[in-house]
Amino acid sequence: MQLAFAAIGKVFAGLGLSGAAGGAAGAAGTAGGAAIGSGALGALQGFTTVLKVLGGLGAAAASARADNAAADQAELQAGQEQLAGEQRKTRMSRELARVLGNNQVAYAAAGIDLTQGVAAENAAAAKQRAASEISIDQQDTEFRRSLLKMRASGLRDRARSTKGGAMLGALGDIAGYGISLAERG
């Protein structure tokens, strides 16, 4: 049995895991076993701490990548919203031109002067309605774009916070491991 403790102690000593394990071959079985057990416990705690730190950092990095990808998507949607707003504005302007043209043809066919009276009033009212609708749509478009940009900014902030929190958690885990080693002496 002492021979087994000695072999294990040499393995741990070779790995630098136990300073007392090297003397286990000459010491009593229980003293050697305690030293080996303490070294093995320290090594195991160190290994689990490393795994915990790496796992936490990996999870945080994955979460941050997902948040940054979502932020990129929100910024892309903001650009698409601007394009869609311009397309709606163009459609409304074309519709206004079509309505004004149809009205002018109808009034001209009826022999009504286009520069005054009912024809001029209807044209001015149609232009005013179109300008109002275009203005409202542009304001709505800018509001939606602003919301998307704010969402992207919030997602990027969350990604940075996730990374920072993971780093603090890793430092805490490492400090906890160091404290437990110091308490064992």
Side-chain angles (χ1 to χ4, degrees):
M1 178 115 172
Q2 287 182 356
L3 195 56
F5 282 133
I8 293 172
K10 286 184 181 185
V11 169
F12 279 117
L15 295 174
L17 298 176
S18 172
T30 55
I36 291 171
S38 176
L41 179 62
L44 187 58
Q45 280 183 324
F47 183 69
T48 58
T49 299
V50 167
L51 289 179
K52 185 176 180 183
V53 165
L54 291 177
L57 292 176
S63 177
R65 278 192 304 274
D67 286 341
N68 282 325
D72 291 343
Q73 183 67 26
E75 287 177 352
L76 183 64
Q77 287 174 336
Q80 290 172 336
E81 183 60 41
Q82 181 179 8
L83 179 61
E86 289 298 320
Q87 290 172 341
R88 286 189 299 270
K89 178 182 173 184
T90 301
R91 261 193 319 273
M92 287 182 212
S93 296
R94 285 182 182 161
E95 180 62 20
L96 172 64
R98 188 188 66 74
V99 167
L100 290 176
N102 288 343
N103 286 348
Q104 286 178 348
V105 168
Y107 289 132
I112 299 174
D113 183 12
L114 299 175
T115 60
Q116 56 187 335
V118 174
E121 289 173 12
N122 283 344
K127 289 177 185 177
Q128 181 61 35
R129 279 191 309 272
S132 177
E133 288 177 19
I134 288 172
S135 175
I136 289 169
D137 185 69
Q138 285 179 327
Q139 289 173 359
D140 288 347
T141 298
E142 282 305 310
F143 179 72
R144 287 187 295 270
R145 287 187 68 225
S146 294
L147 286 177
L148 288 166
K149 287 181 178 184
M150 284 175 43
R151 180 173 183 257
S153 177
L155 287 165
R156 293 201 194 287
D157 287 344
R158 186 168 73 183
R160 282 189 293 274
S161 294
T162 299
K163 286 179 183 178
M167 290 300 289
L168 286 175
L171 289 174
D173 290 339
I174 292 169
Y177 172 67
I179 289 170
S180 73
L181 283 180
E183 286 176 346
R184 272 189 265 149

